[in-house]
Amino acid sequence: MNQEYLRNVNKPFDHEIVAKLKQQAKVDQIPIMTDEGIHFLIQLIKIHNAKKVLEIGTAIGYSSILMALFTNAEVTSIERNETLFKQANSNIEFANQSNKIRLLLGDANDVIIDDDDYDIIFIDAAKSSYIRFFEKFSKNLKTGGLIVSDNLLFRGMVAHPEDIESRNRKQLVKKINHYNEFIVNHPDFDSYIYDIGDGLSISIKK
Ligand code: SAH
Ligand code: MG
């Protein structure tokens, strides 16, 4: 009920590129952020006055392009799928955001990032690797910086694993739950998980 009301009262980004990218994601069945999720992330970037964002998981470039269009941040984004990487590159050119977004092709487990002054790291890739990504990229984050993670509620399945039939799905959901416990218990971060979008967390580096 609340959700339907908010969908009507809130104003999603009104931009032809946003509509085009959403359509493309729908046709290709790419799991991009929800309106609520992307708005939350963009508000965070603005509140935090973030200048440098590192994203793990570009897909077609939807979230990268929106961050670039609607904030002052520069975005570095990692994608391992070459077809999606190319699609994202052409979308970024089309959106005229090549000056604000740098795409890296490769598995985030292998890609080396040298800079240690990122303001925000946004993890939105293979859920089974979240702990590794968190540990690996923490060193690229400033003190006081944020790690934001997506899909921590995975369409309700994390709260209700008993309803899941598939063994693989059950395993994956177990891993997400493990990650959730990992971040809230991490001594070097203050973390909280929210029922926003598909489940988003903010972890603040102490
Ligand atoms: N952030 C995007 C959606 C990303 S979907 C948006 O909201 O617009 C997740 C993407 O992460 C997929 O494109 C997938 O290919 C990529 N991915 C998954 N595991 C990865 C890894 N280990 N390294 C790099 N990219 C990965
Ligand atoms: Mg996601």
Side-chain angles (χ1 to χ4, degrees), residues 31-33 122 124-125 127 130 150-151 198:
I32 57 169
M33 293 190 89
F122 174 49
D124 190 17
K127 296 176 248 310
Y130 272 25
D150 190 28
N151 306 105
D198 193 30

Side-chain angles (χ1 to χ4, degrees), residues 45 49 52 55 61 64 66 71 84 104 113 136 145 161 167 173 176 187 203:
I45 294 172
N49 197 16
K52 284 178 74 168
E55 175 181 68
S64 294
L66 269 67
T71 78
L84 288 172
L104 304 174
I113 304 282
K136 176 178 178 184
R167 247 180 98 90
V173 162
I176 300 174
S203 304

Side-chain angles (χ1 to χ4, degrees), residues 54 76 78 102 104-115 118 136-137 139-140:
L54 174 63
T76 300
I78 306 172
R102 173 174 64 131
L104 304 174
L105 173 62
D107 189 316
N109 288 294
D110 308 322
V111 172
I112 309 283
I113 304 282
D114 291 323
D115 304 7
Y118 280 93
K136 176 178 178 184
F137 295 109
K139 66 173 187 307
N140 302 104

Side-chain angles (χ1 to χ4, degrees), residues 172-183:
L172 185 60
V173 162
K174 221 174 175 172
K175 282 189 176 158
I176 300 174
N177 182 54
H178 185 201
Y179 178 75
N180 291 344
E181 289 178 354
F182 164 82
I183 57 172

